[in-house]
Amino acid sequence: MSAQIFEDSNTTSTSGRGTVVVSGVASDAHTWNLVFLQLMIEELGYDVVNLGPCVPAELLVAECEQHKPALVVISSVNGHGYQDGLRLIDEVRASSELVATPVVIGGKLGIAGSLDEGASDRLVSAGFDAVFEDGARTVLSFYDFMAGLPSAATPLAARTKVSV
Amino acid sequence: MSACFPTRPSADENPVDFGEFVRSRGGRGSIVAQPRMGFSDPNRMREGLIATKKADAHTVGTLTLDSYTRVGDHEAADTALREGLALNGYPIVNHPVETTQWVLDGIRDDEFPVQVRHGSATPLNIFASMVALNLNATEGGPVSYCLPYGRVPLQDSVRNWSQCCEMFTQLQSRGIEPHLETFGGCMMGQLCPPSMLVAISVLEALFFANHGLRSVSVSYAQQTNLDQDIEAVQALRALCAELLPTDNWHVVIYTYMGMYPTTDHGCENLLGSAAQLAVATGAERVIVKTVAESRRIPTIAENVQALEHAHNSTRVVRPEIGRSRELADSQTYQEARALVMAVLNLHSDLGQALLLAFKQGYLDVPYCLHPDNAGRSRSYIDADGWLRWGEVGSLPLGHLVPRTRSRRITSSGLLDDLSYVRRKYDEEPSTRVEVGV
Ligand code: B12
């Protein structure tokens, strides 16, 4: 499974802002979330490497070491995102090359609606830079986060138009 | 549960044939309603089964398994159980056999069969647990439990599912009839044109039959338009009647499996419409969805409410759809038949034929990221709300599907298509459908 999902999407040209890795967690099979995030992030001017669903932590680490992404976006909706997220961030942060790489997680991370505050704090103290739980304003706050990344300062080729 | 059928004594030793049971209760305008219910806590699981049994509807029970069990990570399931973290389903491999026996004890009987629903391309441990527990009904398929469920190669899934069918049919020598339901009617949950769903459902039922299963059911997941869905289920029935070597088959309708409405009225009307689809097509069983679908795992009470709502919706008098005629030569039937025949002609062994079909793009599921899916087909929702082929890639449908202009896919365009049903049902005025006699 790799970056190129759609022959007809705008993945082909290099956009200049760097690479974002999009990935599911080890137990999560959902992919519509990943496809959506890939398209959205490409529209912001990044190249996306989409690792697909059910990604073991070792594979995620290896891919990140290879691609040296500007950002890693973890998405999970099956309700195990909190548990799987804690496992994977330990492995990511254990790699000396990925200590400072921005890594965020989002989606439906628990099975009972939104996580309690303690749980999302734990994700942050375990090493995630931000947590985006599914809600009406999730995507907008993600845009804000993206706009604050160092890579966002790179000017874009004129063709990219962002639509929400 | 209806009390009007004679009850035989509890049959933990020899459970009833799930297929036979559903065919005797559902069809001809009435449905057997079933939840997608699974909790990691055995107490809660047992309570859920009791509540399902007691619901004011004809019901069967479900053990829906959690994601760790599905991907074979029993260690992670064990950690969660030890740390008291709730899972999204029942970890049947981790819980000792005695625990699951207790969960089922006195509940599963000849009036209340229980099915295991998972979603695994590597289900050997799951089947071993089922056989140990005399649990003789489950669902799946080599294609439908592989492509939408992760990264296991299709070849491995075909091999695993062949082995599991063989393990499952060993129950026959104990006098127990194993039942398998295809999940092929639900590829990716949404945006897969109905003819592909029908074709994969039929092919998986044939795969089961070729491996010795004598009691099967074929699924179809509600899509974007009721008329098109009726056409699809008629096509499914026609192809099963033509091709399946057993009479012991029935149709199960899945209430919408894509982005679900967020309002209560939207959820209920969509579920009601799935029940009406079943009535209009003579489908015997309906798997329900609850008002919590868009947000989280539903509670027991929400499941019961959905079961009862589905049951009540079948009593709504809607003669215009009740009178659906045999749509024997519809577009959906022709497309589905062309797909099925093209695959069957590829190889005398159906497992091999399925592998070749995906390699050559004869079967190709829109938006499916799995490496063994060609990924050249596309779908779109037309002005009437019908789900159509936008691109057919190498599907053997060139003679049946008009060429359309390809659209560039954007995140907002994709989300628009994904949320078509949600929008339609959330926006509809919250008029409660009048329940007739
Ligand atoms: C389609 C679907 C499926 C398909 C998936 C096919 C595929 N390969 O993708 C099938 C049928 C196979 C499936 C299977 C399962 N599913 Co499912 N599925 C859905 C469903 C109906 C729609 C999901 C969808 O298409 N969304 C479209 C995308 C675009 O939206 P999204 O996923 O919500 O993501 C949005 C946001 O969350 C956000 N987002 C997501 N991630 C991130 C990350 C970041 C950083 C940011 C900023 C934003 C963000 O962006 C998106 C756009 O707003 C949902 C319920 C619903 N939403 O209506 C259930 C649902 C997600 N499934 C669920 C479950 C539990 C499962 C199963 C475990 C079966 C089960 N026990 O019921 C299995 C999964 C097995 C596994 N190993 O994981 C639960 C999860 C419960 C929870 N979290 O509490 C849900 C919510 C249904 C429910 N209420 O029970 N499923």
Side-chain angles (χ1 to χ4, degrees):
Chain A
M1 253 166 267
S2 65
Q4 189 90 11
I5 309 179
F6 304 125
E7 286 163 34
D8 49 348
S9 87
N10 45 353
T11 41
T12 36
S13 60
T14 315
S15 326
R17 281 197 169 159
T19 299
V20 171
V21 167
V22 171
S23 176
V25 300
S27 79
D28 196 333
H30 293 89
T31 49
W32 293 104
N33 46 328
L34 305 175
V35 173
F36 168 78
L37 288 166
Q38 163 164 10
L39 291 170
M40 185 179 87
I41 295 165
E42 282 169 357
E43 288 157 14
L44 291 173
Y46 294 85
D47 291 323
V48 171
V49 176
N50 185 344
L51 300 181
C54 296
V55 179
E58 313 81 71
L59 177 64
L60 175 70
V61 170
E63 293 283 336
C64 290
E65 287 173 346
Q66 187 196 329
H67 292 286
K68 312 204 180 323
L71 174 68
V72 181
V73 175
I74 306 295
S75 168
S76 174
V77 296
N78 75 351
H80 290 183
Y82 171 73
Q83 306 176 39
D84 281 342
L86 286 177
R87 260 187 287 267
L88 80 80
I89 196 66
D90 273 356
E91 304 229 8
V92 170
R93 294 308 184 201
S95 158
S96 56
E97 292 175 54
L98 304 173
V99 179
T101 307
V103 184
V104 302
I105 187 167
K108 301 181 207 296
L109 301 174
I111 63 156
S114 30
L115 297 177
D116 54 47
E117 223 169 276
S120 63
D121 288 351
R122 253 195 90 190
L123 287 168
V124 172
S125 50
F128 284 104
D129 293 276
V131 178
F132 295 93
E133 281 211 81
D134 193 16
R137 300 192 52 83
T138 315
V139 170
L140 291 176
S141 50
F142 183 66
Y143 277 128
D144 288 346
F145 178 88
M146 294 291 287
L149 287 174
S151 53
T154 316
L156 276 186
R159 63 164 185 80
T160 313
K161 224 178 101 218
V162 178
S163 43
V164 190
Chain B
M1 285 296 301
S2 144
C4 55
F5 297 95
T7 1
R8 279 190 275 149
S10 155
D12 277 351
E13 290 305 314
N14 263 0
V16 288
D17 169 18
F18 187 86
E20 202 64 69
F21 178 87
V22 170
R23 276 158 20 95
S24 71
R25 303 299 192 278
R28 303 165 303 275
S30 77
I31 58 165
V32 172
Q34 182 178 5
R36 298 183 179 277
M37 193 196 287
F39 306 108
S40 42
D41 172 10
N43 288 296
R44 190 135 185 249
M45 192 68 251
R46 184 174 162 86
E47 276 169 36
L49 287 169
I50 294 174
T52 304
K53 189 175 182 175
K54 283 196 186 148
D56 200 1
H58 303 294
T59 57
V60 288
T62 306
L63 293 173
T64 293
L65 308 190
D66 70 288
S67 293
Y68 290 132
T69 303
R70 290 162 185 249
V71 299
D73 191 352
H74 307 302
E75 213 182 297
D78 187 56
T79 307
L81 290 176
R82 271 188 292 107
E83 294 181 2
L85 291 166
L87 300 172
N88 59 14
Y90 184 80
I92 198 170
V93 177
N94 288 72
H95 284 316
V97 170
E98 301 74 44
T99 301
T100 308
Q101 267 162 351
W102 173 79
V103 167
L104 298 168
D105 184 46
I107 301 171
R108 172 174 61 150
D109 60 28
D110 287 359
E111 288 302 312
F112 189 69
V114 173
Q115 186 192 34
V116 174
R117 308 187 68 87
H118 52 111
S120 178
T122 53
L124 279 130
N125 290 336
I126 296 172
F127 272 84
S129 298
M130 289 191 300
V131 169
L133 286 153
N134 279 354
L135 277 166
N136 63 332
T138 186
E139 63 151 357
V143 173
S144 63
Y145 264 18
C146 177
L147 298 194
Y149 279 105
R151 46 207 314 137
V152 174
L154 186 59
Q155 192 167 3
D156 295 358
S157 180
V158 168
R159 196 189 51 238
N160 294 339
W161 272 90
S162 302
Q163 281 175 19
C164 287
C165 286
E166 272 140 39
M167 196 196 298
F168 210 31
T169 50
Q170 284 169 16
L171 286 173
Q172 288 165 355
S173 60
R174 292 193 220 158
I176 298 172
E177 195 64 48
H179 177 92
L180 258 175
E181 164 188 332
T182 67
F183 192 67
C186 177
M187 299 301 293
M188 308 305 290
Q190 54 204 337
L191 297 187
C192 182
S195 57
M196 180 61 75
L197 302 176
V198 169
I200 296 180
S201 217
V202 170
L203 288 164
E204 289 191 325
L206 279 169
F207 180 92
F208 297 157
N210 291 351
H211 282 91
L213 271 299
R214 302 178 297 208
S215 174
V216 297
S217 46
V218 285
S219 64
Y220 178 77
Q222 177 184 26
Q223 299 294 322
T224 49
N225 179 288
L226 181 59
D227 293 323
Q228 186 180 30
D229 286 341
I230 290 174
E231 188 175 297
V233 178
Q234 303 284 17
L236 179 61
R237 296 203 89 97
L239 285 168
C240 286
E242 274 172 55
L243 296 170
L244 293 187
T246 170
D247 290 333
N248 189 356
W249 59 271
H250 70 264
V251 174
V252 51
I253 303 290
Y254 300 163
T255 305
Y256 192 60
M257 293 290 282
M259 277 179 95
Y260 214 69
T262 56
T263 59
D264 284 3
H265 72 262
C267 293
E268 282 166 9
N269 289 345
L270 185 51
L271 171 59
S273 160
Q276 288 168 17
L277 169 62
V279 171
T281 56
E284 289 86 347
R285 182 160 55 101
V286 173
I287 314 263
V288 303
K289 285 266 170 121
T290 73
V291 292
E293 174 64 17
S294 69
R295 291 181 287 273
R296 54 166 169 76
I297 299 288
T299 62
I300 295 174
E302 285 160 343
N303 271 295
V304 169
Q305 191 208 351
L307 292 165
E308 294 180 347
H309 183 70
H311 177 80
N312 291 336
S313 303
T314 61
R315 294 190 304 212
V316 175
V317 187
R318 291 280 300 272
E320 72 277 20
I321 59 170
R323 238 190 0 240
S324 81
R325 61 210 151 81
E326 199 57 56
L327 296 161
D329 213 28
S330 67
Q331 174 77 13
T332 311
Y333 172 81
Q334 288 182 38
E335 287 180 21
R337 191 169 205 287
L339 293 169
V340 169
M341 292 306 163
V343 176
L344 292 179
N345 285 331
L346 284 173
H347 201 288
S348 57
D349 176 89
L350 184 48
Q352 294 305 311
L354 288 168
L355 291 174
L356 286 168
F358 277 97
K359 198 167 270 166
Q360 298 180 10
Y362 282 16
L363 294 177
D364 183 354
V365 179
Y367 297 102
C368 173
L369 301 187
H370 194 285
D372 291 324
N373 187 58
R376 293 178 52 228
S377 70
R378 283 285 174 283
S379 58
Y380 70 97
I381 301 170
D382 78 8
D384 299 322
W386 285 49
L387 199 44
R388 303 280 192 193
W389 291 107
E391 314 249 339
V392 293
S394 303
L395 298 176
L397 298 178
H399 58 302
L400 291 169
V401 177
R403 291 191 72 81
T404 50
R405 213 161 43 92
S406 72
R407 303 183 308 164
R408 182 162 161 270
I409 298 166
T410 61
S411 59
S412 56
L414 176 70
L415 210 52
D416 265 1
D417 277 0
L418 286 172
S419 50
Y420 172 85
V421 169
R422 172 182 289 184
R423 271 198 317 276
K424 184 168 136 188
Y425 280 84
D426 276 345
E427 277 164 19
E428 253 175 35
S430 62
T431 46
R432 290 199 151 257
V433 188
E434 287 301 313
V435 177
V437 191

